[in-house]
Amino acid sequence: MSRPGPPSRTTAVRPHPGEGLPAGHRRFLIRGQLRCPLALTVADLRERWPQRRAEVVFDCATNGPQHHTFEGPLLREVIDAAGPAFDARRRKDRSRYLLAVTGGDGHHAVLSWAELDADFGDAPVLLATAMDGRALDAAGSQLVVPSDRCGARYISALTGIWFGTCVPPEPVPGLSSGDPVDSS
């Protein structure tokens, strides 16, 4: 997956931090522009943060409408614990940050911090620890976006969350911010 941000050098592929561990002990990484990156299990999510409940309905492209009840901490609270590298007092600084979430099956999704931040969208996005009353320790945590009508951003078996800023696009030479853009 291409991550937002500056190009990175090629590095050796390392095993996932949970590989080789029993399913209930597999970790996913939260890394990026954070003061304290985290490696967490579903049990960690259950024990360290208050659990919220979300009853959701979303359209799944392969299985039609889905009705589920998820429990887990707010993604915003987990990221806060990792110490985002923005200036919390400056709203415009916070609004530049993105989250790229990856699952064990290769699916991934991008959210903006502004969607989650209480001063902006205040969306109750969860890192699920249980679905329909069943613990997700063996399956892995799931990203739950209750406001989405389509299930494309419901990412299963989380393997990682990257948090950071995207490099702004380069200005187009010869164009000032007030010039019209020819879209032909």
Side-chain angles (χ1 to χ4, degrees):
M1 167 183 127
S2 294
R3 288 190 300 277
S8 60
R9 294 178 291 152
T10 303
T11 59
V13 176
R14 294 184 198 116
H16 181 270
E19 272 184 33
L21 294 173
H25 299 292
R26 291 191 181 136
R27 293 181 183 91
F28 66 94
L29 297 176
I30 300 178
R31 60 193 177 80
Q33 295 171 342
L34 300 162
R35 291 177 188 88
C36 181
L38 300 171
L40 299 170
T41 64
V42 171
D44 294 331
L45 292 172
R46 189 180 303 108
E47 294 164 7
R48 293 174 59 182
W49 289 277
Q51 302 295 288
R52 309 295 173 99
R53 173 174 277 186
E55 293 184 22
V56 301
V57 177
F58 60 88
D59 289 324
C60 175
T62 54
N63 298 319
Q66 300 291 302
H67 301 261
H68 294 290
T69 300
F70 291 97
E71 296 173 34
L74 291 173
L75 173 57
R76 162 180 70 235
E77 292 176 353
V78 176
I79 296 297
D80 278 342
F86 53 63
D87 182 347
R89 299 166 299 181
R90 294 181 53 223
R91 289 183 178 146
K92 287 196 182 227
D93 192 35
R94 289 181 282 158
S95 70
R96 300 179 309 117
Y97 284 77
L98 305 170
L99 297 98
V101 182
T102 305
D105 59 1
H107 285 104
H108 54 272
V110 175
L111 297 101
S112 71
W113 179 253
E115 285 180 81
L116 310 177
D117 192 296
D119 283 340
F120 296 98
D122 199 21
V125 175
L126 300 180
L127 294 177
T129 59
M131 181 174 87
D132 301 328
R134 292 184 314 273
L136 291 174
D137 294 76
S141 183
Q142 181 169 332
L143 179 71
V144 176
V145 187
S147 61
D148 284 5
R149 293 185 322 175
C150 132
R153 292 198 301 175
Y154 281 66
I155 305 297
S156 299
L158 294 185
T159 57
I161 299 173
W162 176 87
F163 179 86
T165 57
C166 175
V167 175
E170 293 293 323
V172 177
L175 258 183
S176 69
S177 59
D179 291 341
V181 177
D182 181 11
S183 61
S184 54

